[in-house]
Amino acid sequence: MADESQFGDFGGRHVPEPLEEPLEGLAQAFDEIHDTDAFQDRFRNLLQDFAGRPTPVFHAERLSEEYGAQIYLKREDLLHGGAHKINNCLGQALLADEADKTRLIAETGAGQHGVATAMVGALLDLDTEIYMGKKDAERQQMNVFRMRLMGAEVNEVTRGGSGLADAVDAALEDFAENMDDTHYLVGSAVGPDPFPRMVREFQSVIGQEARDQIREQAGQLPDAAVACVGGGSNAIGLFHAFRDDDVAFYGAEGGGEGGDSKKHAAPLSSGTEDVMHGMKTRVLNDDTEVHSVSAGLDYPAVGPEHAMFRAVGRCEYQAVEDDAALSAFRELSELEGIIPALESSHAVALTKDLAEEMDEDDVILVNLSGRGDKDMEQAAEMFDLS
Ligand SMILES: *Cc1c(COP(=O)(O)O)cnc(C)c1O
């Protein structure tokens, strides 16, 4: 049987000994539980009634006219919480519940994943503790307030540089100590097995819905599917249903300041192969400072399946610079009355480039992974809106 933990040369479970056992237990629970009728009924019901699925596909006609191809947006921005993150959080929290865990932990950078975890922790009455670097907590106070309001404990980590990497360390220690009753809710298709395949499973509803919707609306499969890539969960969630189709995949990474700058978040376009966070994948080179205008793309590595897609040529990844993403943010807002998340704006910007090379009636399906409400303060400053 194929080793499910591997994606070509990438993936695996590269962890210290104390984490082997809880991860093996989690992999077994996932394999046993996730495709039972009981689990699927609960998951589908909550995706519908709690999260707001199915999300529509919208033919963005004015944007299509402007960019020069037929552009369809998968509206994950309309979900509860404002992004696709709820799909994964619901799936993992339900799995934890079915496996008789009573406690969730997660780490969060900008706070979006922490908020989504707090939502499902409240919903399923699971004790929830979120690790967040103290610096991040100070910058993202509203998200800290949201998490606390929903009953989560926010643990502000002060070790090291008080950032995301330090929060990951603290969460891993917690997990190793409390594995009997605790589930570590990982926020993207990254980390040691089984997380990449588990997160893909829970996010694949995006592409399953979109495949039917676009055939209905455009009368064909898309010529191209486009998504932004941080850890890679919304992208793999869109792509998975089209993996055996003649659909070209494009991933937009955080290209940061661009030019010769060593400030970006594009391990697929310019990183190297290495082991990080429990997986073999592509990671940023040592001399690069992780940076993107959107916090959700600020991750030094990427999910292993994307590293494989790149290696075999199934998906083309491009680094989209901050300025291009900001222009797309503005264009979608002005032309369609939809304010996208800055992360998703990278996918829209890449779509603009692709459309220039394509025919006017070619169909591009873009995953609008989230809405831009969270980015308004930043936008107001950058576009001088006050
Ligand atoms: C978190 C986030 C991302 C990045 O995560 P992926 O795992 O790469 O999908 C992208 N878009 C939005 C709106 C997010 O909140």
Side-chain angles (χ1 to χ4, degrees), residues 109-112 132 134-147 295 374 378:
Q112 299 300 117
M132 191 169 185
K134 191 172 173 55
K135 269 195 205 149
D136 290 331
E138 280 163 5
R139 275 194 290 246
Q140 298 290 340
Q141 267 206 327
M142 283 302 148
N143 281 337
V144 174
F145 297 158
R146 287 186 181 99
M147 290 182 249
K374 67 182 178 56
Q378 218 176 326

Side-chain angles (χ1 to χ4, degrees), residues 82-85 112-113 187-190 199 203 228-235 296-297 306 341-344 368-371 374:
H84 67 291
K85 290 192 164 67
Q112 299 300 117
H113 175 58
S188 188
V190 299
V199 175
Q203 290 291 2
C228 65
V229 178
S233 71
N234 86 86
L297 300 185
H306 290 290
L342 282 173
E343 292 83 359
S344 322
L368 210 64
S369 56
R371 67 177 89 118
K374 67 182 178 56

Side-chain angles (χ1 to χ4, degrees), residues 7-295:
F7 299 92
D9 293 339
F10 302 96
R13 193 183 291 156
H14 301 265
V15 295
E17 214 277 320
L19 287 173
E20 262 298 332
E21 193 192 323
L23 289 171
E24 185 51 34
L26 177 61
Q28 275 174 19
F30 174 66
D31 290 339
E32 279 163 25
I33 294 169
H34 89 270
D35 57 6
T36 62
D37 289 345
F39 180 87
Q40 285 298 323
D41 283 350
R42 280 183 90 190
F43 186 40
R44 300 288 148 182
N45 281 332
L46 288 175
L47 284 176
Q48 178 181 302
D49 300 337
F50 185 71
R53 304 209 72 91
T55 59
V57 161
F58 174 65
H59 186 195
E61 294 189 28
R62 295 192 65 206
L63 196 74
S64 298
E65 176 86 11
E66 176 76 16
Y67 286 4
Q70 297 312 306
I71 298 168
Y72 289 78
L73 305 174
K74 178 60 173 164
R75 299 288 311 274
E76 296 295 293
D77 60 307
L78 295 175
L79 287 171
H80 180 38
H84 67 291
K85 290 192 164 67
I86 187 70
N87 304 324
N88 171 46
C89 287
L90 274 175
Q92 287 194 48
L94 274 177
L95 183 70
D97 191 45
E98 297 271 332
D100 294 326
K101 307 287 181 189
T102 56
R103 183 168 174 265
L104 298 178
I105 59 171
E107 89 276 341
T108 193
Q112 299 300 117
H113 175 58
V115 170
T117 303
M119 292 185 327
V120 297
L123 175 75
L124 297 178
D125 192 20
L126 298 164
D127 291 338
T128 304
E129 183 162 350
I130 307 295
Y131 288 91
M132 191 169 185
K134 191 172 173 55
K135 269 195 205 149
D136 290 331
E138 280 163 5
R139 275 194 290 246
Q140 298 290 340
Q141 267 206 327
M142 283 302 148
N143 281 337
V144 174
F145 297 158
R146 287 186 181 99
M147 290 182 249
R148 289 193 174 131
L149 185 63
M150 291 185 280
E153 191 179 324
V154 180
N155 189 326
E156 298 185 13
V157 178
T158 53
R159 67 171 85 177
S162 302
L164 179 61
D166 310 292
V168 174
D169 288 342
L172 277 170
E173 276 168 31
D174 181 321
F175 185 46
E177 273 164 36
N178 300 297
M179 58 187 185
D180 289 340
D181 67 355
T182 297
H183 175 72
Y184 185 1
L185 208 164
V186 170
S188 188
V190 299
D193 184 73
F195 288 109
R197 61 189 167 101
M198 180 165 76
V199 175
R200 178 186 69 194
E201 169 68 26
F202 295 144
Q203 290 291 2
S204 61
V205 63
I206 300 172
Q208 284 161 12
E209 287 176 5
R211 197 171 186 285
D212 291 341
Q213 290 166 317
I214 195 112
R215 288 174 83 181
E216 171 84 28
Q217 291 180 41
Q220 63 164 90
L221 288 176
D223 297 292
V226 187
C228 65
V229 178
S233 71
N234 86 86
I236 211 69
L238 177 71
F239 295 162
H240 195 56
F242 300 98
R243 67 197 176 284
D244 298 324
D245 296 317
D246 186 16
V247 175
F249 294 165
Y250 294 91
E253 298 190 279
E257 295 172 355
D260 295 333
S261 164
K262 293 282 182 196
K263 290 169 102 174
H264 61 80
L268 288 158
S269 320
S270 65
T272 47
E273 292 179 13
D274 209 343
V275 170
M276 186 187 264
H277 299 163
M279 58 182 161
K280 173 136 187 258
T281 187
R282 290 186 71 85
V283 306
L284 290 182
N285 304 328
D286 281 346
D287 58 347
T288 307
E289 182 184 333
V290 191
H291 165 84
S292 160
V293 68
S294 59

